[in-house]
mmCIF file with all atom_site columns, all heavy atoms in Angstrom:
data_model
loop_
_atom_site.group_PDB
_atom_site.id
_atom_site.type_symbol
_atom_site.label_atom_id
_atom_site.label_alt_id
_atom_site.label_comp_id
_atom_site.label_asym_id
_atom_site.label_entity_id
_atom_site.label_seq_id
_atom_site.pdbx_PDB_ins_code
_atom_site.Cartn_x
_atom_site.Cartn_y
_atom_site.Cartn_z
_atom_site.occupancy
_atom_site.B_iso_or_equiv
_atom_site.pdbx_formal_charge
_atom_site.auth_seq_id
_atom_site.auth_comp_id
_atom_site.auth_asym_id
_atom_site.auth_atom_id
_atom_site.pdbx_PDB_model_num
ATOM   1   N N   . ILE A 1 77  ? -60.975 -10.559 119.285 1.00 98.00 ? 77  ILE A N   1
ATOM   2   C CA  . ILE A 1 77  ? -61.998 -9.498  119.336 1.00 98.00 ? 77  ILE A CA  1
ATOM   3   C C   . ILE A 1 77  ? -62.588 -9.296  117.940 1.00 98.00 ? 77  ILE A C   1
ATOM   4   O O   . ILE A 1 77  ? -61.948 -9.647  116.934 1.00 98.00 ? 77  ILE A O   1
ATOM   5   C CB  . ILE A 1 77  ? -61.383 -8.176  119.907 1.00 98.00 ? 77  ILE A CB  1
ATOM   6   C CG1 . ILE A 1 77  ? -62.466 -7.185  120.327 1.00 98.00 ? 77  ILE A CG1 1
ATOM   7   C CG2 . ILE A 1 77  ? -60.414 -7.533  118.915 1.00 98.00 ? 77  ILE A CG2 1
ATOM   8   C CD1 . ILE A 1 77  ? -61.962 -6.062  121.225 1.00 98.00 ? 77  ILE A CD1 1
ATOM   9   N N   . GLY A 1 78  ? -63.787 -8.738  117.886 1.00 97.00 ? 78  GLY A N   1
ATOM   10  C CA  . GLY A 1 78  ? -64.433 -8.460  116.596 1.00 97.00 ? 78  GLY A CA  1
ATOM   11  C C   . GLY A 1 78  ? -64.679 -9.761  115.845 1.00 97.00 ? 78  GLY A C   1
ATOM   12  O O   . GLY A 1 78  ? -65.205 -10.740 116.389 1.00 97.00 ? 78  GLY A O   1
ATOM   13  N N   . GLY A 1 79  ? -64.241 -9.771  114.596 1.00 97.00 ? 79  GLY A N   1
ATOM   14  C CA  . GLY A 1 79  ? -64.424 -10.960 113.772 1.00 97.00 ? 79  GLY A CA  1
ATOM   15  C C   . GLY A 1 79  ? -63.673 -12.164 114.306 1.00 97.00 ? 79  GLY A C   1
ATOM   16  O O   . GLY A 1 79  ? -63.938 -13.297 113.902 1.00 97.00 ? 79  GLY A O   1
ATOM   17  N N   . SER A 1 80  ? -62.756 -11.943 115.198 1.00 98.00 ? 80  SER A N   1
ATOM   18  C CA  . SER A 1 80  ? -62.017 -13.057 115.798 1.00 98.00 ? 80  SER A CA  1
ATOM   19  C C   . SER A 1 80  ? -62.662 -13.523 117.098 1.00 98.00 ? 80  SER A C   1
ATOM   20  O O   . SER A 1 80  ? -62.015 -14.225 117.883 1.00 98.00 ? 80  SER A O   1
ATOM   21  C CB  . SER A 1 80  ? -60.557 -12.647 116.040 1.00 98.00 ? 80  SER A CB  1
ATOM   22  O OG  . SER A 1 80  ? -59.896 -12.501 114.804 1.00 98.00 ? 80  SER A OG  1
ATOM   23  N N   . ILE A 1 135 ? -56.516 -15.629 118.907 1.00 98.00 ? 135 ILE A N   1
ATOM   24  C CA  . ILE A 1 135 ? -56.969 -15.472 117.519 1.00 98.00 ? 135 ILE A CA  1
ATOM   25  C C   . ILE A 1 135 ? -56.752 -14.034 117.082 1.00 98.00 ? 135 ILE A C   1
ATOM   26  O O   . ILE A 1 135 ? -57.334 -13.105 117.653 1.00 98.00 ? 135 ILE A O   1
ATOM   27  C CB  . ILE A 1 135 ? -58.467 -15.820 117.364 1.00 98.00 ? 135 ILE A CB  1
ATOM   28  C CG1 . ILE A 1 135 ? -58.783 -17.183 118.000 1.00 98.00 ? 135 ILE A CG1 1
ATOM   29  C CG2 . ILE A 1 135 ? -58.858 -15.806 115.889 1.00 98.00 ? 135 ILE A CG2 1
ATOM   30  C CD1 . ILE A 1 135 ? -60.236 -17.620 117.862 1.00 98.00 ? 135 ILE A CD1 1
ATOM   31  N N   . SER A 1 136 ? -55.905 -13.859 116.117 1.00 97.00 ? 136 SER A N   1
ATOM   32  C CA  . SER A 1 136 ? -55.738 -12.531 115.536 1.00 97.00 ? 136 SER A CA  1
ATOM   33  C C   . SER A 1 136 ? -55.135 -12.692 114.146 1.00 97.00 ? 136 SER A C   1
ATOM   34  O O   . SER A 1 136 ? -54.047 -13.252 114.007 1.00 97.00 ? 136 SER A O   1
ATOM   35  C CB  . SER A 1 136 ? -54.833 -11.652 116.399 1.00 97.00 ? 136 SER A CB  1
ATOM   36  O OG  . SER A 1 136 ? -54.675 -10.392 115.780 1.00 97.00 ? 136 SER A OG  1
ATOM   37  N N   . LYS A 1 137 ? -55.877 -12.224 113.172 1.00 96.00 ? 137 LYS A N   1
ATOM   38  C CA  . LYS A 1 137 ? -55.381 -12.357 111.799 1.00 96.00 ? 137 LYS A CA  1
ATOM   39  C C   . LYS A 1 137 ? -54.145 -11.484 111.610 1.00 96.00 ? 137 LYS A C   1
ATOM   40  O O   . LYS A 1 137 ? -53.137 -11.909 111.072 1.00 96.00 ? 137 LYS A O   1
ATOM   41  C CB  . LYS A 1 137 ? -56.477 -11.953 110.825 1.00 96.00 ? 137 LYS A CB  1
ATOM   42  C CG  . LYS A 1 137 ? -56.083 -12.221 109.410 1.00 96.00 ? 137 LYS A CG  1
ATOM   43  C CD  . LYS A 1 137 ? -57.232 -12.162 108.463 1.00 96.00 ? 137 LYS A CD  1
ATOM   44  C CE  . LYS A 1 137 ? -56.700 -12.474 107.084 1.00 96.00 ? 137 LYS A CE  1
ATOM   45  N NZ  . LYS A 1 137 ? -57.476 -11.841 106.044 1.00 96.00 ? 137 LYS A NZ  1
ATOM   46  N N   . SER A 1 138 ? -54.252 -10.245 112.103 1.00 94.00 ? 138 SER A N   1
ATOM   47  C CA  . SER A 1 138 ? -53.149 -9.302  111.905 1.00 94.00 ? 138 SER A CA  1
ATOM   48  C C   . SER A 1 138 ? -52.027 -9.523  112.910 1.00 94.00 ? 138 SER A C   1
ATOM   49  O O   . SER A 1 138 ? -50.866 -9.249  112.624 1.00 94.00 ? 138 SER A O   1
ATOM   50  C CB  . SER A 1 138 ? -53.671 -7.876  112.055 1.00 94.00 ? 138 SER A CB  1
ATOM   51  O OG  . SER A 1 138 ? -54.213 -7.731  113.364 1.00 94.00 ? 138 SER A OG  1
ATOM   52  N N   . GLY A 1 139 ? -52.396 -9.998  114.081 1.00 93.00 ? 139 GLY A N   1
ATOM   53  C CA  . GLY A 1 139 ? -51.409 -10.113 115.155 1.00 93.00 ? 139 GLY A CA  1
ATOM   54  C C   . GLY A 1 139 ? -51.016 -8.758  115.710 1.00 93.00 ? 139 GLY A C   1
ATOM   55  O O   . GLY A 1 139 ? -49.998 -8.631  116.401 1.00 93.00 ? 139 GLY A O   1
ATOM   56  N N   . THR A 1 141 ? -53.672 -6.490  116.912 1.00 95.00 ? 141 THR A N   1
ATOM   57  C CA  . THR A 1 141 ? -54.813 -5.908  117.623 1.00 95.00 ? 141 THR A CA  1
ATOM   58  C C   . THR A 1 141 ? -54.500 -5.783  119.118 1.00 95.00 ? 141 THR A C   1
ATOM   59  O O   . THR A 1 141 ? -54.213 -6.786  119.785 1.00 95.00 ? 141 THR A O   1
ATOM   60  C CB  . THR A 1 141 ? -56.049 -6.798  117.386 1.00 95.00 ? 141 THR A CB  1
ATOM   61  O OG1 . THR A 1 141 ? -56.143 -7.029  115.983 1.00 95.00 ? 141 THR A OG1 1
ATOM   62  C CG2 . THR A 1 141 ? -57.308 -6.159  117.887 1.00 95.00 ? 141 THR A CG2 1
ATOM   63  N N   . GLY A 1 197 ? -61.899 -10.787 108.902 1.00 96.00 ? 197 GLY A N   1
ATOM   64  C CA  . GLY A 1 197 ? -62.347 -11.209 110.243 1.00 96.00 ? 197 GLY A CA  1
ATOM   65  C C   . GLY A 1 197 ? -63.828 -11.536 110.338 1.00 96.00 ? 197 GLY A C   1
ATOM   66  O O   . GLY A 1 197 ? -64.214 -12.630 110.768 1.00 96.00 ? 197 GLY A O   1
ATOM   67  N N   . ARG A 1 198 ? -64.669 -10.601 109.916 1.00 97.00 ? 198 ARG A N   1
ATOM   68  C CA  . ARG A 1 198 ? -66.110 -10.806 110.127 1.00 97.00 ? 198 ARG A CA  1
ATOM   69  C C   . ARG A 1 198 ? -66.707 -11.855 109.203 1.00 97.00 ? 198 ARG A C   1
ATOM   70  O O   . ARG A 1 198 ? -67.852 -12.253 109.373 1.00 97.00 ? 198 ARG A O   1
ATOM   71  C CB  . ARG A 1 198 ? -66.851 -9.474  109.987 1.00 97.00 ? 198 ARG A CB  1
ATOM   72  C CG  . ARG A 1 198 ? -66.620 -8.786  108.676 1.00 97.00 ? 198 ARG A CG  1
ATOM   73  C CD  . ARG A 1 198 ? -67.093 -7.350  108.721 1.00 97.00 ? 198 ARG A CD  1
ATOM   74  N NE  . ARG A 1 198 ? -66.725 -6.640  107.500 1.00 97.00 ? 198 ARG A NE  1
ATOM   75  C CZ  . ARG A 1 198 ? -65.564 -6.038  107.288 1.00 97.00 ? 198 ARG A CZ  1
ATOM   76  N NH1 . ARG A 1 198 ? -64.627 -6.060  108.220 1.00 97.00 ? 198 ARG A NH1 1
ATOM   77  N NH2 . ARG A 1 198 ? -65.326 -5.420  106.149 1.00 97.00 ? 198 ARG A NH2 1
ATOM   78  N N   . GLN A 1 277 ? -72.152 -6.935  113.499 1.00 98.00 ? 277 GLN A N   1
ATOM   79  C CA  . GLN A 1 277 ? -70.810 -6.553  113.048 1.00 98.00 ? 277 GLN A CA  1
ATOM   80  C C   . GLN A 1 277 ? -70.695 -6.682  111.520 1.00 98.00 ? 277 GLN A C   1
ATOM   81  O O   . GLN A 1 277 ? -70.163 -5.805  110.843 1.00 98.00 ? 277 GLN A O   1
ATOM   82  C CB  . GLN A 1 277 ? -69.732 -7.436  113.688 1.00 98.00 ? 277 GLN A CB  1
ATOM   83  C CG  . GLN A 1 277 ? -68.338 -6.972  113.284 1.00 98.00 ? 277 GLN A CG  1
ATOM   84  C CD  . GLN A 1 277 ? -67.275 -8.063  113.260 1.00 98.00 ? 277 GLN A CD  1
ATOM   85  O OE1 . GLN A 1 277 ? -67.584 -9.239  113.351 1.00 98.00 ? 277 GLN A OE1 1
ATOM   86  N NE2 . GLN A 1 277 ? -66.039 -7.656  113.139 1.00 98.00 ? 277 GLN A NE2 1
ATOM   87  N N   . GLU A 1 281 ? -69.819 -3.240  109.734 1.00 98.00 ? 281 GLU A N   1
ATOM   88  C CA  . GLU A 1 281 ? -68.431 -3.013  109.334 1.00 98.00 ? 281 GLU A CA  1
ATOM   89  C C   . GLU A 1 281 ? -68.248 -3.208  107.825 1.00 98.00 ? 281 GLU A C   1
ATOM   90  O O   . GLU A 1 281 ? -67.386 -2.588  107.206 1.00 98.00 ? 281 GLU A O   1
ATOM   91  C CB  . GLU A 1 281 ? -67.515 -3.976  110.101 1.00 98.00 ? 281 GLU A CB  1
ATOM   92  C CG  . GLU A 1 281 ? -66.202 -3.343  110.504 1.00 98.00 ? 281 GLU A CG  1
ATOM   93  C CD  . GLU A 1 281 ? -65.408 -4.193  111.477 1.00 98.00 ? 281 GLU A CD  1
ATOM   94  O OE1 . GLU A 1 281 ? -64.958 -5.286  111.100 1.00 98.00 ? 281 GLU A OE1 1
ATOM   95  O OE2 . GLU A 1 281 ? -65.239 -3.755  112.622 1.00 98.00 ? 281 GLU A OE2 1
ATOM   96  N N   . GLN A 1 417 ? -62.198 -2.098  106.112 1.00 94.00 ? 417 GLN A N   1
ATOM   97  C CA  . GLN A 1 417 ? -62.734 -1.385  107.272 1.00 94.00 ? 417 GLN A CA  1
ATOM   98  C C   . GLN A 1 417 ? -61.833 -0.200  107.633 1.00 94.00 ? 417 GLN A C   1
ATOM   99  O O   . GLN A 1 417 ? -61.316 -0.120  108.746 1.00 94.00 ? 417 GLN A O   1
ATOM   100 C CB  . GLN A 1 417 ? -62.943 -2.301  108.490 1.00 94.00 ? 417 GLN A CB  1
ATOM   101 C CG  . GLN A 1 417 ? -61.748 -3.124  108.973 1.00 94.00 ? 417 GLN A CG  1
ATOM   102 C CD  . GLN A 1 417 ? -61.428 -4.301  108.083 1.00 94.00 ? 417 GLN A CD  1
ATOM   103 O OE1 . GLN A 1 417 ? -62.322 -4.904  107.506 1.00 94.00 ? 417 GLN A OE1 1
ATOM   104 N NE2 . GLN A 1 417 ? -60.161 -4.603  107.931 1.00 94.00 ? 417 GLN A NE2 1
ATOM   105 N N   . LYS A 1 424 ? -57.640 2.978   116.259 1.00 92.00 ? 424 LYS A N   1
ATOM   106 C CA  . LYS A 1 424 ? -56.574 2.025   116.608 1.00 92.00 ? 424 LYS A CA  1
ATOM   107 C C   . LYS A 1 424 ? -55.232 2.745   116.708 1.00 92.00 ? 424 LYS A C   1
ATOM   108 O O   . LYS A 1 424 ? -54.444 2.521   117.613 1.00 92.00 ? 424 LYS A O   1
ATOM   109 C CB  . LYS A 1 424 ? -56.456 0.954   115.524 1.00 92.00 ? 424 LYS A CB  1
ATOM   110 C CG  . LYS A 1 424 ? -57.408 -0.195  115.636 1.00 92.00 ? 424 LYS A CG  1
ATOM   111 C CD  . LYS A 1 424 ? -56.936 -1.277  114.652 1.00 92.00 ? 424 LYS A CD  1
ATOM   112 C CE  . LYS A 1 424 ? -57.970 -2.337  114.427 1.00 92.00 ? 424 LYS A CE  1
ATOM   113 N NZ  . LYS A 1 424 ? -57.571 -3.300  113.399 1.00 92.00 ? 424 LYS A NZ  1
HETATM 114 O O1  . PA5 B 2 .   ? -63.845 -8.004  110.754 1.00 61.26 ? 1   PA5 B O1  1
HETATM 115 C C1  . PA5 B 2 .   ? -62.753 -7.526  110.968 1.00 61.26 ? 1   PA5 B C1  1
HETATM 116 O O2  . PA5 B 2 .   ? -61.872 -7.463  110.099 1.00 61.26 ? 1   PA5 B O2  1
HETATM 117 C C2  . PA5 B 2 .   ? -62.393 -7.033  112.350 1.00 61.26 ? 1   PA5 B C2  1
HETATM 118 O O3  . PA5 B 2 .   ? -63.480 -7.051  113.199 1.00 61.26 ? 1   PA5 B O3  1
HETATM 119 C C3  . PA5 B 2 .   ? -61.290 -7.902  112.958 1.00 61.26 ? 1   PA5 B C3  1
HETATM 120 O O4  . PA5 B 2 .   ? -61.739 -9.220  113.055 1.00 61.26 ? 1   PA5 B O4  1
HETATM 121 C C4  . PA5 B 2 .   ? -60.881 -7.403  114.345 1.00 61.26 ? 1   PA5 B C4  1
HETATM 122 O O5  . PA5 B 2 .   ? -60.469 -6.076  114.264 1.00 61.26 ? 1   PA5 B O5  1
HETATM 123 C C5  . PA5 B 2 .   ? -59.761 -8.253  114.906 1.00 61.26 ? 1   PA5 B C5  1
HETATM 124 O O6  . PA5 B 2 .   ? -58.681 -8.283  114.030 1.00 61.26 ? 1   PA5 B O6  1
HETATM 125 P P1  . PA5 B 2 .   ? -57.520 -9.330  114.167 1.00 61.26 ? 1   PA5 B P1  1
HETATM 126 O O7  . PA5 B 2 .   ? -58.076 -10.694 113.907 1.00 61.26 ? 1   PA5 B O7  1
HETATM 127 O O8  . PA5 B 2 .   ? -56.524 -8.931  113.152 1.00 61.26 ? 1   PA5 B O8  1
HETATM 128 O O9  . PA5 B 2 .   ? -56.991 -9.226  115.567 1.00 61.26 ? 1   PA5 B O9  1
#
Side-chain angles (χ1 to χ4, degrees):
I77 195 164
S80 291
I135 310 181
S136 179
K137 187 166 181 209
S138 60
T141 310
R198 56 194 173 274
Q277 184 208 11
E281 218 169 66
Q417 54 285 326
K424 276 192 194 175

